[in-house]
Amino acid sequence: MNKWIFYLTVILTMSSGLAKAHLDERKAEGKYTQVEALRLAAEQGDATAQNKLGEMFLNGDEVTQDTQEAVKWFRLAAEHGYALAQFNLGVSYGNGQGVTQDSQEAIKWFRSAAEQGDVKAQYYLGLSYANGQGVSQNFEEAMKWILLAAKQGHAQAQLKLGVSYGNGQGVAQDYQEAAKWFRLAAKQRYAKAQYYLGLSYANGLGVIQNDVRAHMWFNLASDNGQRDAQKNRDDVAQRMTPAQIAEAQKLAYDCKKNNYTNCD
């Protein structure tokens, strides 16, 4: 059974008599839709349904796209304290979708969601501090939020944290810590992190210099669409023996075969 159809059945037990009778009739006829189910739940104050309905209007999924209608539903759910809706409302304000662009209002909603542990909101809030968007630029505060997102497994946050450790921006420079976070993101098939981990091995930054490992990670990054990774791989290959290149290629093959676990 469609989860929203099941959800409607539950909601119907709490709906008004008239609405229930109307939808029971449509249910018997097999005519009610997911949108009707969501709208009924949303109008009764269910924050999950409000956010889902907002996402449907935002993306034009089974409804005519309407960003203002999306914001309306995001706001209702956000004001109920629903973290995902708070994040979505923050994105809407940040991009000026369905509402006048307002970076400070975006920050307000990102913070509300981030404080509830929403990983995307933590990352966006961290980026806002790093870039000085809607707040005064503050790299230490940026790293605080990006670290929280990285610890939850957010690959982009892990890469950003690694780059920050490599550059000593907002944190003390630490190449080993940089390589650690590059590796965690690389294992999630994040091509840019694989590229940076390749650079770490090629230059011996935070890891023991190893051309075989560098070639492997550049190869994987290239396969996953990272620009410049192929050139770096070929540059490293010029100082490798044929046996080393064959080893690197086998390591890359095994890494992909094992779903990026136990790659090195």
Side-chain angles (χ1 to χ4, degrees):
M1 179 186 292
N2 182 291
K3 66 178 182 179
W4 286 109
I5 300 304
F6 173 78
Y7 192 40
L8 173 61
T9 303
V10 175
I11 291 297
L12 281 174
T13 64
M14 300 181 290
S15 57
S16 68
L18 182 61
K20 182 179 186 301
H22 174 68
L23 282 172
D24 277 344
E25 181 180 348
R26 290 179 63 76
K27 177 181 177 182
E29 296 173 356
K31 293 180 180 179
Y32 68 85
T33 67
Q34 178 180 348
V35 177
E36 288 178 318
L38 282 170
R39 187 178 291 277
L40 175 63
E43 289 174 347
Q44 292 178 337
D46 185 275
T48 303
Q50 289 168 341
N51 181 69
K52 177 64 176 178
L53 194 57
E55 290 177 343
M56 293 176 73
F57 277 109
L58 179 66
N59 299 316
D61 181 14
E62 297 187 44
V63 294
T64 301
Q65 188 176 41
D66 187 335
T67 55
Q68 290 183 332
E69 187 72 5
V71 167
K72 164 191 164 182
W73 291 110
F74 288 151
R75 189 183 307 281
L76 286 169
E79 289 173 348
H80 279 103
Y82 191 63
L84 182 54
Q86 292 172 338
F87 170 72
N88 285 334
L89 187 57
V91 172
S92 297
Y93 272 110
N95 295 333
Q97 281 186 305
V99 69
T100 302
Q101 197 276 337
D102 188 331
S103 296
Q104 291 183 334
E105 193 69 11
I107 291 296
K108 165 188 166 182
W109 291 109
F110 288 153
R111 189 182 306 281
S112 294
E115 288 175 347
Q116 294 191 66
D118 185 271
V119 64
K120 289 183 179 179
Q122 290 171 341
Y123 176 61
Y124 273 59
L125 185 58
L127 285 184
S128 298
Y129 273 109
N131 299 323
Q133 290 183 316
V135 289
S136 297
Q137 192 173 52
N138 185 324
F139 292 118
E140 288 76 15
E141 188 70 9
M143 289 306 102
K144 164 189 165 182
W145 291 107
I146 287 172
L147 175 60
L148 288 171
K151 285 182 174 179
Q152 290 200 66
H154 192 284
Q156 289 173 291
Q158 291 171 339
L159 173 62
K160 178 67 175 175
L161 190 59
V163 170
S164 297
Y165 272 112
N167 295 332
Q169 190 174 63
V171 290
Q173 190 174 54
D174 186 331
Y175 292 124
Q176 287 185 328
E177 197 70 10
K180 163 191 165 182
W181 290 107
F182 293 152
R183 191 183 311 281
L184 288 170
K187 289 181 177 180
Q188 296 190 62
R189 305 187 185 188
Y190 190 20
K192 195 169 184 179
Q194 293 169 344
Y195 173 73
Y196 272 87
L197 187 55
L199 289 175
S200 298
Y201 275 111
N203 297 292
L205 296 173
V207 293
I208 297 173
Q209 199 280 336
N210 188 317
D211 286 338
V212 171
R213 298 294 177 183
H215 189 287
M216 178 194 78
W217 284 112
F218 285 142
N219 205 10
L220 291 168
S222 178
D223 285 349
N224 287 318
Q226 178 61 35
R227 219 182 310 180
D228 298 332
Q230 183 176 345
K231 179 181 183 303
N232 285 79
R233 180 199 64 195
D234 294 344
D235 288 344
V236 168
Q238 291 180 12
R239 62 194 192 215
M240 296 170 66
T241 66
Q244 288 176 320
I245 293 173
E247 180 185 359
Q249 291 172 335
K250 183 178 186 306
L251 286 171
Y253 173 81
D254 290 343
C255 181
K256 291 176 68 175
K257 182 180 178 180
N258 295 321
N259 199 29
Y260 294 86
T261 59
N262 302 318
C263 293
D264 57 10

